Amino acid sequence: MSVNTVTHLNFRGEARDALAFYQSVFGGDLAVVTYKDAGDVREPSEADQVMWGQVSAAGGFEVMAYDVPSRLPYNRGENAFFVSVRGETAEEITAYWEKLSDGATVLQPLGPAQWAPLYGMLTDRFGVTWVIDVAAQY
């Protein structure tokens, strides 16, 4: 088993530009899935915004990003990022979830998602927001 942590940046309509910028700085591969690509368009004007994006470069640089939909609160200075924890098995991820959820506020209960076999989001008792999932193939 292995676990991978990645900083996941939150934007409102700027994720694609930010990811392209980070790719220009660090090199590597850029991958983007839009809300339209994922079949999760709730606001037509946001269909081409980034639901999930990532830059991965040689040497270990990796960053993920998305555009926070307008239906969710977003404040650039308060919730600009969260930590993504990805594991290989449901058992591994569930164990992390159970420990991190002690005293936490659950934002999305741990369960199957359209894009991952297991996914959840919580803000721990120290105010850090975590996204936890079983690694899916994008």
Side-chain angles (χ1 to χ4, degrees):
M1 286 193 229
S2 69
V3 66
N4 184 28
T5 60
V6 178
T7 302
H8 194 293
L9 305 174
N10 303 331
F11 297 94
R12 177 136 305 140
E14 297 178 305
R16 186 182 305 270
D17 290 342
L19 288 166
F21 172 72
Y22 299 134
Q23 182 188 32
S24 76
V25 172
F26 296 101
D29 297 316
L30 170 64
V32 170
V33 176
T34 66
Y35 286 96
K36 180 171 50 181
D37 295 336
D40 191 23
V41 177
R42 298 185 196 183
E43 173 60 47
S45 66
E46 297 172 347
D48 292 322
Q49 289 186 355
V50 177
M51 180 178 176
W52 175 86
Q54 177 174 287
V55 173
S56 296
F61 176 81
E62 188 170 10
V63 68
M64 295 179 358
Y66 94 121
D67 286 311
V68 178
S70 60
R71 70 181 185 282
L72 299 176
Y74 174 73
N75 181 316
R76 190 175 193 171
E78 291 180 24
N79 57 351
F81 74 95
F82 47 81
V83 180
S84 173
V85 176
R86 310 189 96 184
E88 296 177 358
T89 68
E91 295 79 20
E92 179 183 27
I93 290 305
T94 301
Y96 295 136
W97 177 268
E98 289 173 357
K99 292 173 185 174
L100 280 170
S101 64
D102 181 26
T105 301
V106 174
L107 304 171
Q108 175 68 43
L110 189 64
Q114 182 179 1
W115 56 89
L118 196 60
Y119 169 88
M121 180 186 278
L122 60 80
T123 300
D124 72 18
R125 64 182 178 215
F126 301 104
V128 176
T129 300
W130 297 80
V131 170
I132 300 175
D133 67 356
V134 173
Q137 297 298 320
Y138 295 104

